Amino acid sequence: MTSSNDTRPTHRLSEAGVSIWLDDLSRERLATGNLAALVAEKDVVGVTTNPTIFASALSKGDAYAGALAALAGTDVEAAVERITTDDVRDAADVLRPVYDATHAVDGRVSIEVDPRLARDTEHTVEVAERLWATVGRPNVMIKIPATVEGLPAITRVLAQGISVNVTLIFSIERYRAVLDAWLAGLEQATANGHDLSVVGSVASFFVSRVDSAVDAALEKVGTDDAAALRGKAAIANARLAYAAYEEVVAGERWAALKAAGAQPQRPLWASTGVKNPEYRDTMYVDELVVAGVVNTMPEATLDAFADHGIVLGDTVTGTAEEAAAQIVAIEAQGVSLDKVTTQLETEGVDKFEVSWSQLLETTQAGLDAAATQGGAE
């Protein structure tokens, strides 16, 4: 338990209304009690995963040796699903007290649909349903990418009372479409008789990748004016996303759903690890503080924020006009944010597909080694 005079930066961030989620998961983290310790000591109230995280976890150490031995001879895709859903289920159990204490708001653990299905609505829905049933915990969230094909899948999955983490959002235009898909899903869930109070959703708006791409374009421009705009695009873009969220939750559709007991689809700041060493390592946390959002951090960012993070109150509300002006200034340098965000979505899907392939390869190698060892014995 934390005291009212707790001065930890993570506690102050939580008190400001930001839910801290860890952007990482591994069997080692679960087995050693590290995840439980982060909940107790660094105010972590949720976990996000993705194919890159799982591929990394399986490639390190021997935490999965027992699982791979038990699965030797199993189809590799089935083995991957078994391993990842087991980890997510165990993490959900660790976080279940948070889920209960926050009345189904936090304590969530996300697992991603196979990224190779990002352009396939029907199979995305099918796999989302299977993952939800396989994990079998009310505090899981199914991650679905905000591709054009992902939008109807988001609506259909929410309509079944399944909680959804919408991932890979880069542009304000696409985010508005995600908000509409979410509202439609909850409206259908109401019609289907589901209890809206437990249907959670977050919209993962990616941050640092926007700066990396825009900064590179500004450097090519080569002017002092362009250089002065480096490191401005991502936070401005996120603040404009929050303004779009405010518009929607002030509308009649949300008012009706709220009256029926629904939770808002909270903005989630993703990709918050700073990639440019010239920038403050907690800037994507410090500058995006506002009540009712989630910030999912890789462990390095969480540790940095726990050590020297800054919480000066709300740094988002009322910033839309200034943020819009910064985007206008960037585009005046010949850098199209629309082109950047479109490219980032394509790259994001591609990167997760590569990570998924690496996850399959690593798992297959482990299964083969386990089968060989078993045969030798």
Side-chain angles (χ1 to χ4, degrees), residues 9 24 44 61 83 122 127 148 150 186 188 199 218 261 277 279 284 360 368:
D24 192 53
V44 168
I83 288 168
E122 293 299 325
V127 173
V148 170
L186 289 191
Q188 292 178 29
V199 183
L218 289 169
Y279 299 158
Y284 299 126
L360 292 172
D368 292 344

Side-chain angles (χ1 to χ4, degrees), residues 252-294:
E252 293 181 3
R253 291 178 73 187
W254 168 241
L257 290 164
K258 183 179 180 181
Q263 299 182 31
Q265 183 189 62
R266 291 180 292 170
L268 178 150
W269 311 130
S271 182
T272 56
V274 174
K275 295 177 173 57
N276 188 333
E278 296 177 15
Y279 299 158
R280 180 176 171 82
D281 58 1
T282 59
M283 66 182 280
Y284 299 126
V285 185
D286 302 341
E287 298 297 326
L288 293 173
V289 176
V290 60
V293 302
V294 178

Side-chain angles (χ1 to χ4, degrees), residues 294-308:
V294 178
N295 194 307
T296 184
M297 309 177 201
E299 189 167 23
T301 302
L302 175 63
D303 289 344
F305 191 84
D307 180 68
H308 53 262

Side-chain angles (χ1 to χ4, degrees), residues 85 88-89 92-93 96 129-140:
T85 54
V88 167
R89 185 184 305 108
D93 288 344
R96 182 59 185 266
E129 293 170 347
R130 188 172 72 241
L131 291 174
W132 175 261
T134 301
V135 175
R137 296 294 186 271
N139 50 327
V140 71

Side-chain angles (χ1 to χ4, degrees), residues 111-363:
I111 184 169
E112 189 141 2
V113 169
D114 182 340
R116 295 172 299 180
L117 304 177
R119 311 290 182 190
D120 185 334
T121 303
E122 293 299 325
H123 284 100
T124 291
V125 173
E126 177 184 322
V127 173
E129 293 170 347
R130 188 172 72 241
L131 291 174
W132 175 261
T134 301
V135 175
R137 296 294 186 271
N139 50 327
V140 71
M141 278 186 168
I142 308 302
K143 290 180 81 173
I144 298 174
T147 56
V148 170
E149 298 83 359
L151 295 172
I154 291 161
T155 296
R156 288 171 55 183
V157 171
L158 284 167
Q160 297 181 57
I162 297 173
S163 297
V164 173
N165 176 341
V166 184
T167 189
L168 288 177
I169 309 172
F170 296 97
S171 74
I172 307 301
E173 179 183 9
R174 184 57 56 81
Y175 178 45
R176 288 184 183 278
V178 166
L179 286 164
D180 186 68
W182 160 66
L183 290 170
L186 289 191
E187 288 162 351
Q188 292 178 29
T190 303
N192 293 337
H194 291 290
D195 176 5
L196 297 188
S197 69
V198 296
V199 183
S201 188
V202 293
S204 297
F205 204 87
F206 280 50
V207 186
S208 66
R209 295 188 194 183
V210 174
D211 267 346
S212 295
V214 171
D215 284 0
L218 289 169
E219 286 169 9
K220 288 182 180 179
V221 175
T223 65
D224 290 343
D225 287 344
L229 291 166
R230 292 169 64 249
K232 305 292 186 185
I235 289 169
N237 199 40
R239 288 172 171 173
L240 288 173
Y242 186 78
Y245 164 77
E246 286 186 300
E247 289 177 21
V248 169
V249 296
E252 293 181 3
R253 291 178 73 187
W254 168 241
L257 290 164
K258 183 179 180 181
Q263 299 182 31
Q265 183 189 62
R266 291 180 292 170
L268 178 150
W269 311 130
S271 182
T272 56
V274 174
K275 295 177 173 57
N276 188 333
E278 296 177 15
Y279 299 158
R280 180 176 171 82
D281 58 1
T282 59
M283 66 182 280
Y284 299 126
V285 185
D286 302 341
E287 298 297 326
L288 293 173
V289 176
V290 60
V293 302
V294 178
N295 194 307
T296 184
M297 309 177 201
E299 189 167 23
T301 302
L302 175 63
D303 289 344
F305 191 84
D307 180 68
H308 53 262
I310 297 172
V311 181
L312 298 175
D314 189 336
T315 55
V316 177
T317 304
T319 61
E321 187 175 343
E322 179 187 356
Q326 288 176 327
I327 298 301
V328 168
I330 288 168
E331 297 201 328
Q333 296 297 316
V335 179
S336 168
L337 195 61
D338 284 344
K339 289 182 179 179
V340 167
T341 55
T342 298
Q343 182 62 28
L344 285 172
E345 179 186 299
T346 300
E347 291 176 356
V349 172
D350 290 346
K351 286 177 180 178
F352 280 168
E353 285 185 0
V354 169
S355 294
W356 192 263
S357 295
Q358 293 171 343
L359 175 58
L360 292 172
E361 290 169 7
T362 301
T363 303

